[in-house]
Amino acid sequence: MCGFSGEIRFDGSVASVPAVAAMTEALAPRGPDGAGVHAQGRVALGHRRLKIIDLSDHAAQPMVDSDLGLSLVFNGCIYNYKELRAELEERGYRFFSSGDTEVLLKAYHAFGPAFVERLQGMFAFCIVERDSGRVVLGRDRLGIKPLYLAESGSRLRFASTLPALLAGGEVDTTIDEVALHHYMHFHSVVPPPRTILRGVRKLPPATVAVIDADGNRRDTRYWEPRFEPRAGDEKLSARDWEDLTLDTLRRAVRRRLVADVPVGVLLSGGLDSSLIVGLLAEEGQKGLSTFSIGFETVNGEAGDEFQYSDIVARHFGTDHHKIAVDSKRALPALERCIAAMSEPMVSHDNVGFFLLSEEVSKHVKVVQSGQGADEIFAGYHWYPPMLESNDAVGDYGRVFFDRDPEEYAATMQPRWVGADHSRAFVEEHFARPGASRAVDKALRIDTTVMLVDDPVKRVDNQTMAFGLEARVPFLDHEVVELGARIPAEYKVAQGGKGVLKEAGRRVIPHEVIDRPKGYFPVPALKYLQGPYLERVKETLGSRQARERGLFQADRVATLLADPEKHITPLRGSKLWQVALLELWLQSHGL
């Protein structure tokens, strides 16, 4: 787990080492254990390292193999690297390191760009062929590891975070109108390849981009799950699906133990993270470190779920750490949390993850986390109504979109109002083959788009702000492929995640299964009271906000007058959504 950056020139000039060095330095929190820059004519690569596998300098990056004529920067972890290494050794390859980075490099040499289909893990990478000048960029199937791009004339720069690209300079930072529409409708999600900035794009998940020396680029999507049954699935009973779920999750959790340092768990006390703890206990993990965070109660809403995480910790005898945070501490942390975001993310639990990661990083370098289960196993409340839907786009929009076109027009300055880009995006996505039922269309878009650019990105950004690697077993591609096959009726049962709940009963205490659904609560921020509200007023009234001209002043005044009255269908604060965008832009000097 690390961060990397680079520059490619297509006009025959030399890549800018100072720009790559600046981008790499901006990635220092992601990789506090080492740094390196490698330049060769038209290409320069930079890397910051977090030592997880092969702690020696033999695995340092950028990695150059002069015999093969390849250089590489890589962020992530390949869980099946030992098996791949054995296969490559049988083909005659010899290794100078013992980690996964060199395996990635030699697998590319052996199998070409299609080598990604053999990888089990989370990854983003850049491979440079010395002799042909070809550059290959790639990203894992679920986009767990990020990769941002900034193209300008005859130059392409890339980095693990958007702020790193800004550090390199010369980026078009004007607002992207389509991305802004998505941000305001999809609770801050901007689907790839766009970002909120016109000059920055992101490589989509499950994509390999091959870029020739002349700049010609070919993007290939190498994985796309089908949300429909396979032949013979109709013969499987509910119990069969539970067995398959448990078996597949066991493999996923086991894979994510690969490390040369201890692996802990972020334990919320809900079904998903509790099940990870239980499966790790089955694997024989003793003295497992688990971590929970909580805030004080506000407006009668509890700010912690310690009662449930305590049950799991006691049951499995973990070394449990409860981190209680006073909301007075959350406000100062909010500025640092926003600065750590590669893109503005409106969920109020960002600061919770940020503070949790800060504390956890003092104890371990790697954790497993439960993100993704709600999308993969249908845990959200908008899935049951989609079962019988005859208007998939309309019904999804009613429960998911933050506002309708009329409210958007009343919120934004006129120059930002145009086509209904977000509805058009959903219509196009729902029309793709591979998901025929409305509920499966919703599950597919949530799994492959909304999940990637909300909870997954949130966990990556906030954990890596402290050099903490988060692994997400529910996003193992085999778990996702299985979940896509399971009939929706089994998934939405029992208020959501029915098949997962029944599988979980064999592993964890029922008290953490038969309970109201919880989230990562940060009540003081959710309700925008006191100093939080004052910070929002200050930001939206600032000179920068007025000059930027995104929002209509009368609408902002209405939101400020009664924040709790203006809530999205998914219970998010519309005021915070407006304010967070401006806060993020200002935090990055824009």
Side-chain angles (χ1 to χ4, degrees), residues 232-411:
D233 281 354
E234 71 279 358
K235 300 176 183 178
L236 298 177
S237 66
R239 180 74 179 192
D240 292 332
W241 288 116
E242 293 159 19
D243 291 342
L244 285 168
T245 297
L246 212 49
D247 290 345
T248 308
L249 274 173
R250 283 191 176 107
R251 287 196 302 274
V253 168
R254 187 181 307 126
R255 284 173 181 155
R256 283 154 182 79
L257 286 173
V258 173
D260 293 332
V261 295
V263 178
V265 178
L266 302 183
L267 175 60
S268 69
L271 165 66
D272 313 330
S273 60
S274 299
L275 186 53
I276 291 172
V277 172
L279 294 175
L280 285 170
E282 283 188 353
E283 291 296 314
Q285 295 292 301
K286 304 294 184 183
L288 181 68
S289 292
T290 54
F291 304 87
S292 302
I293 192 170
F295 297 83
E296 71 266 29
T297 297
V298 174
N299 284 5
E301 181 174 346
D304 70 68
E305 296 187 327
F306 288 153
Q307 67 183 102
Y308 298 110
S309 58
D310 285 350
I311 291 171
V312 176
R314 284 195 301 267
H315 186 85
F316 293 106
T318 73
D319 178 16
H320 192 50
H321 305 257
K322 289 191 291 187
I323 302 165
V325 178
D326 189 302
S327 288
K328 294 177 182 177
R329 181 183 167 196
L331 182 59
L334 189 59
E335 308 291 339
R336 294 186 294 133
C337 170
I338 293 171
M341 296 178 184
S342 275
E343 301 173 68
M345 293 179 284
V346 75
S347 176
H348 59 82
D349 63 5
N350 270 285
V351 71
F353 266 108
F354 182 83
L355 290 168
L356 177 61
S357 300
E358 185 174 31
E359 293 300 320
V360 173
S361 67
K362 299 173 183 176
H363 300 272
V364 294
K365 281 188 171 184
V366 184
V367 289
Q368 295 202 31
S369 186
Q371 274 65 41
D374 283 308
E375 290 83 359
I376 309 306
F377 292 100
Y380 292 128
H381 65 83
W382 57 87
Y383 296 129
M386 300 294 292
L387 282 172
E388 306 301 328
S389 172
N390 294 315
D391 178 13
V393 174
D395 290 340
Y396 182 79
R398 276 185 285 277
V399 296
F400 193 82
F401 288 9
D402 293 329
R403 48 186 54 78
D404 59 27
E406 291 73 23
E407 185 182 347
Y408 184 71
T411 302

Side-chain angles (χ1 to χ4, degrees), residues 500-557:
L500 188 65
K501 289 176 179 176
E502 287 306 307
R505 293 183 197 283
R506 309 184 206 176
V507 181
I508 61 177
H510 70 87
E511 293 93 335
V512 298
I513 299 174
D514 302 317
R515 49 159 291 195
K517 180 175 177 57
Y519 294 92
F520 204 149
V522 190
L525 184 56
K526 178 178 178 179
Y527 292 105
L528 288 178
Q529 299 174 351
Y532 296 90
L533 183 57
E534 290 304 312
R535 183 70 180 93
V536 165
K537 288 179 179 177
E538 174 190 342
T539 300
L540 293 176
S542 66
R543 175 185 55 80
Q544 297 100 309
R546 293 195 304 273
E547 292 177 352
R548 205 181 317 276
L550 294 176
F551 309 109
Q552 295 203 34
D554 59 346
R555 180 59 179 168
V556 170

